[in-house]
């Protein structure tokens, strides 16, 4: 039996941990398009809260995880900077859903991703990446701050941890199955 491919998007703001999440959970060496931040991005990329960040995704990240003999998830991580958002439409085409990764140190960077997937009616979950020394909030506080409807699941995760990332993906797949009508 050939497994069914399932496309998942990992989106979020600049520095939220998208590349890390794809890498932590992928069963294959992930494809990344990380480039070193240079002075050319000074004044363009806001490093507030992520001052130690030295690289950035300039196209996409790609990984794969088999979740059952019948299903394989293909993960596509989006670039977080506004200048690369033009790629999001193409990356999102055919996806069953999205993990919107959120950094509580920079919640405002999450609004664009949430808005993008809400407007396109693509199911998503909000995964709060629990960075060391980052402010901690309850799911209800996150929901209120991001103005996320009750129907959207909010999960806490650590993008560096394979099991934690897998749980966020599983929550997304379960959520997408409840909101996307079965195809006949």
């Amino acid at each position: 039996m050939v497994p069914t491919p399932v496309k998942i998007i990992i989106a979020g703001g600049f520095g939220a941990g998208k590349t890390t999440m794809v890498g932590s959970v992928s069963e294959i060496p992930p494809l990344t398009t990380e480039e070193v931040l240079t002075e050319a991005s000074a004044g363009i990329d806001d490093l507030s809260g992520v001052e130690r960040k030295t690289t950035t995704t300039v196209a996409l990240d790609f990984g794969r995880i088999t979740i059952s003999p019948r299903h394989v998830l293909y993960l596509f991580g989006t670039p977080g900077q506004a200048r690369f958002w033009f790629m999001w439409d193409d990356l999102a085409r055919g996806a069953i859903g999205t993990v919107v990764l959120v950094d509580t140190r920079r919640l405002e960077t999450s609004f664009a991703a949430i808005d993008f997937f809400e407007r396109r009616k693509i199911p998503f979950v909000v995964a709060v990446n629990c960075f060391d020394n980052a402010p901690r909030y309850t799911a209800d506080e996150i929901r209120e701050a991001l103005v996320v409807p009750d129907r959207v699941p909010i999960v806490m995760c650590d993008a560096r941890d394979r099991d934690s990332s897998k749980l966020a993906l599983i929550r997304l797949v379960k959520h997408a199955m409840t909101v996307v009508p079965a195809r006949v």
Side-chain angles (χ1 to χ4, degrees):
M1 166 195 283
V2 176
T4 301
V6 178
K7 184 177 183 181
I8 301 287
I9 303 299
I10 311 297
F14 176 64
K18 301 173 296 291
T19 299
T20 300
M21 178 179 253
V22 171
S24 77
V25 77
S26 182
E27 65 195 17
I28 61 171
L31 165 72
T32 63
T33 58
E34 288 283 290
E35 292 294 334
V36 175
L37 285 169
T38 66
E39 289 196 27
S41 70
I44 297 171
D45 294 329
D46 178 9
L47 294 175
S48 303
V50 291
E51 291 84 0
R52 293 178 24 193
K53 186 170 178 55
T54 60
T55 61
T56 188
T57 300
V58 296
L60 63 97
D61 299 312
F62 175 78
R64 181 188 76 207
I65 180 170
T66 303
I67 59 170
S68 76
R70 294 179 33 191
H71 298 94
V72 175
L73 300 183
Y74 290 94
L75 309 174
F76 292 82
T78 65
Q81 308 95 309
R83 68 182 181 274
F84 297 123
W85 290 348
F86 68 91
M87 292 187 262
W88 285 25
D89 276 319
D90 288 333
L91 287 173
R93 191 170 294 117
I96 67 148
T98 303
V99 172
V100 175
L101 205 54
V102 170
D103 178 352
T104 60
R105 300 169 300 179
R106 301 162 41 102
L107 277 179
E108 70 281 358
T109 66
S110 308
F111 288 111
I114 290 168
D115 184 55
F116 180 89
F117 296 103
E118 277 184 332
R119 281 188 285 119
R120 285 158 183 80
K121 297 183 178 15
I122 297 173
F124 68 95
V125 300
V126 171
V128 179
N129 193 4
C130 297
F131 284 95
D132 297 334
N133 302 316
R136 300 286 192 240
Y137 301 100
T138 67
D140 287 338
E141 290 170 321
I142 297 289
R143 182 178 309 286
E144 184 177 334
L146 296 176
V147 194
V148 176
D150 288 341
R151 69 181 179 279
V152 175
I154 296 180
V155 298
M156 303 300 166
C157 75
D158 181 339
R160 301 168 297 185
D161 182 74
R162 179 178 174 80
D163 289 335
S164 184
S165 294
K166 280 172 50 176
L167 288 174
L169 292 169
I170 289 166
R171 186 65 185 103
L172 170 64
V173 171
K174 287 180 177 180
H175 174 63
M177 289 170 51
T178 67
V179 296
V180 175
R183 294 184 179 138
V184 182

